[in-house]
Amino acid sequence: MAGVSAATVSKVLRGVASVKQENAKRVHDAVKKLGYRMDPLASGLRNEQRRIIGAVVPDLESPFFGALATGLEKAAEEAGYAMIIASSRESEAREADLVARMNDWRVAGTILTPVRSERGLGAERLHALNMKAVLVDRVSADRRFDTVTADNYAASASVADLLLGAGHSRILLHGATRISKSVRTRLQGFTERARAVGSKARIDTLLSEEDPEAQRDAVFRYFEGLDPAERPSAVFSLSQHSTLLVLSELRRRGVRVPADIALIGFDDADWMQTTWPSISAVAQPVAAIAERAVAVLLARVEGENTGFPVQHLEPCTLIARQSTGPDRVPAMKTQFAE
Amino acid sequence: MAGVSAATVSKVLRGVASVKQENAKRVHDAVKKLGYRMDPLASGLRNEQRRIIGAVVPDLESPFFGALATGLEKAAEEAGYAMIIASSRESEAREADLVARMNDWRVAGTILTPVRSERGLGAERLHALNMKAVLVDRVSADRRFDTVTADNYAASASVADLLLGAGHSRILLHGATRISKSVRTRLQGFTERARAVGSKARIDTLLSEEDPEAQRDAVFRYFEGLDPAERPSAVFSLSQHSTLLVLSELRRRGVRVPADIALIGFDDADWMQTTWPSISAVAQPVAAIAERAVAVLLARVEGENTGFPVQHLEPCTLIARQSTGPDRVPAMKTQFAE
DNA sequence: CGCGAGAAATAAATCGATTTACAGCATGCA
DNA sequence: TGCATGCTGTAAATCGATTTATTTCTCGCG
C-alpha cells in the first residue's frame, strides 16, 4: 500500500536504518489507514532477543507480591518490554519448571523471586541455562546474579532499637509460613543489633514452617509453657502472616496489646492501620524494588552493565502505631537512612 | 539425530498423525538426549490458534484478583495453555489497549475482568476484534460473551435475610472505590429482597467513588448528619475496601461493633477472622470462578460450544462472625443453595 | 509378478517479521 | 568521463515450527 518493500516497512517501524522522509511518511500513513499492528511473536522469531521479560513470583495472592508484579509490569512496559508473569505457588519444583519455560520463550531476561533463597532450584536452573536474571526479595547477595531486596537487615535492626529503647527485656521473634531467606535476615538483623548494643534482653525465637494449624499450636504451646511473669513483653513477627497469627493467638488468650505485650510486624497491610489497636509495622518499598529490579535487569540485557553482580538494598519504612505502646514513640512514619 | 525429518518430529511431539512405533521411540530418545524443548513462539507462528490464553484483571494487588489470577493460570496450565496476565490498573483506556495487545499475540481466547462492566471499552474492543472471550466478575449477562461471576445477587439477598431476620430496622449499604457492576448487583440483591419480604426497614445507601480521603469524609458526614438515635443499627459494606473503611470510621467514633452497630461485608479476608470483633463476610468462590471461566472459554475456543452466550453464577458462602452480633446466628459457615 | 490401496515419511511452502547481501542511483573527486 | 562513495531500497535467506502435497514404502491380492 505504501509502495515499498516489507524490509523498508520494518525499518521504518523500528526507526532503525536510513529511510527517506517521504517513504517513511507513506509507510506511517498506510499503517494508520490499515490499522496495522505488528505481530510481536513473529517479530521475536528472527532475532535472538525478544522484547519480553519473564517474572516468577512465589505467589500472587498476597498483596506484597501482587504489588510487586504490578510494579514490575509497569516498569517493563515503560521500557517497551512485554512481561510474562507466573506464580510458582511456593513450589521449588514448579519454580525451576517455570524458569525453563521462560527460557523456551527466549525471554530477554528473567526476574525471579525464589521460593526459598538464591540457592534454590530456580536460580540454579537460570544459571545452568545461562539466562540473564535478577533475583528479588527472598535472597541475599549472590555470585551469579544481581539481587534486589528490601533492606531487611537494617529495618530489623531498627525494630530492635525501638523495642530495646522502650525497655523490653524479654522479646519473642516469631516466624511462620515458609522460613525464607528474608525471614532469616530479619532475625539476624534484630539479634545482631541487640548484641551490638550490649542488650541484656532475653530473646526467644519461634519459627514454624508447617501447616497453619501446626503453627497455631506452636504459638499456643510456647505461651502455655511459660509462667505469665516470664512472658515476653514484646513480639516482633517476621512476616505479615506471622503478625496475623500472633495477634489472633494473643487475643484468644486475652492478652492485651500493647498493655501486656507490644507487637510489631514485618510487612505492612491495610488492615493494620484500621484494626484496634492499630499494628506497628515495617513497610517494604515494593515500588522501589520493582523499578530497581527491572532497571538492573535491563542494564544487563542491553549490555550496559557487564560487571560483577551487585546486591541492591532498598530502605524500608518503620511505622509505629498503637501496638507498640502509647507515647513511647510518636505515631508517625520514621524513615531511616540506608 | 533420530534419522527422521522435522515434519515427523513435529507429528510425534504433538502425538497427532500416524507415525511408526519405532520412529516415535527414536524421536523420543533423541529429544531426551538432546534436552530438546520446542519453542512455543515459533510453534504458534504457523497456526492461526496459539495455545495461549490472555487474562486482563483490573488490579493484582488485591487478594481477590491475585487469587483469581492464580486460579486462572492453574486451570489454563492444566489444559495445556500458557497464560499471559496483565493488569489494567483500574483504567478503561488501558484495558482496551491490553485487549488489543492480546489480539496482537493471537491468543486463543481472552478472559477479561472489566474495570466497570460488560459495557466497557475492553469488551467493546474484544467484540470489534472478533475475539473469543469470557467476561468475569464485574459483569452481568451479556449478549456477546459468556460471563462468570459470583452470585452477588443471591448472596446479598441472604445478607438481607440475615440482617432483617435479626430485627435491624435501619440499615446502611455502603460502597466505596469504584462502583462496579458487582457492587450495583449487590445493592440490588439486598434492596429487592428487603422489598420482597415486605420489610419496613429503612435502607440508606452511600456510594462514593472518589479518592480515599473523600470516601472517608463521606462516611464521616453521613454519621455527623444523623441523630444518634436515628443511627442505623447495621451496615452492609459492599466491598472489602468498604468494610475496612467503615470499620475504621466506626472505631474512630467510638461506636461499638456489634453492640451499637452490626457489620457485615462483601468479600472475605484473612484479617477479618482475626481482628476483634471478627467480621462477618460473604466469601466469594474464587477458585470456582477461575475454573469455570477457563472451562467456558476453552469450550468456545475448541469449538465445542457454539450456542448463545451464557451467564454463569457461582454460589457464595456467608460467614457469620462476631460483628453481626452474638448468638443471633451460629458462628459457622452457612452455605446456601444456588 | 505386478498393481493398487493405504500407511508412513518427507520436501517444500508457510506463518510474519528481521537481517543480510546486493543493486540502483546520485554525488563528488580526479 | 570514470570510478569511488554514500545513501536508499529490495530480494532473498532466516528464525523454528506446522501443514500440504508428494513420494516412498508395505502389503495384499489377483
Side-chain angles (χ1 to χ4, degrees), chain B residues 262-281:
Chain B
L263 174 64
I264 179 167
F266 212 107
D267 228 354
D268 190 28
D270 270 358
W271 61 266
M272 292 185 189
Q273 67 174 300
T274 306
T275 195
W276 197 92
S278 57
I279 308 297
S280 301

Side-chain angles (χ1 to χ4, degrees), chain B residues 10 25 33 54 59 90 98 100 142 181-182 186 191 194 225 243 260 263 313 327 334 336:
Chain B
S10 174
K25 185 175 172 348
K33 196 168 302 178
D59 137 37
E90 301 287 0
L98 286 176
D142 188 77
K181 195 77 182 196
S182 300
R186 291 165 192 171
T191 55
T243 306
D260 298 332
L263 174 64
L313 296 176
D327 304 324
T334 310
F336 50 87

Side-chain angles (χ1 to χ4, degrees), chain B residues 138-152:
Chain B
R138 290 180 179 175
V139 296
S140 50
D142 188 77
R143 288 207 328 283
R144 305 157 296 178
F145 300 107
D146 294 315
T147 61
V148 180
T149 65
D151 193 346
N152 291 296

Side-chain angles (χ1 to χ4, degrees), chain A residues 259-274:
Chain A
D260 299 331
I261 293 189
L263 175 64
I264 180 167
F266 212 107
D267 227 357
D268 191 27
D270 271 357
W271 61 266
M272 292 185 189
Q273 69 174 298
T274 306

Side-chain angles (χ1 to χ4, degrees), chain B residues 4-5 8 11 18-20 23 45-46:
Chain B
V4 296
S5 71
T8 305
K11 283 179 187 168
S18 48
V19 178
K20 245 196 297 187
N23 278 349
L45 183 57
R46 180 58 159 81

Side-chain angles (χ1 to χ4, degrees), chain B residues 215-287:
Chain B
Q215 291 170 1
R216 202 169 274 278
D217 262 20
V219 177
F220 181 82
R221 285 201 316 275
Y222 169 81
F223 281 104
E224 212 54 26
L226 284 180
D227 200 297
E230 288 274 293
R231 211 155 54 183
S233 62
V235 177
F236 177 26
S237 51
L238 301 170
S239 68
Q240 190 184 140
H241 182 84
S242 159
T243 306
L244 207 50
L245 192 79
V246 169
L247 186 60
S248 154
E249 197 55 32
L250 291 179
R251 279 181 173 153
R252 182 149 72 111
R253 309 180 72 82
V255 176
R256 291 166 305 161
V257 176
D260 298 332
I261 292 188
L263 174 64
I264 179 167
F266 212 107
D267 228 354
D268 190 28
D270 270 358
W271 61 266
M272 292 185 189
Q273 67 174 300
T274 306
T275 195
W276 197 92
S278 57
I279 308 297
S280 301
V282 175
Q284 298 197 59
V286 195

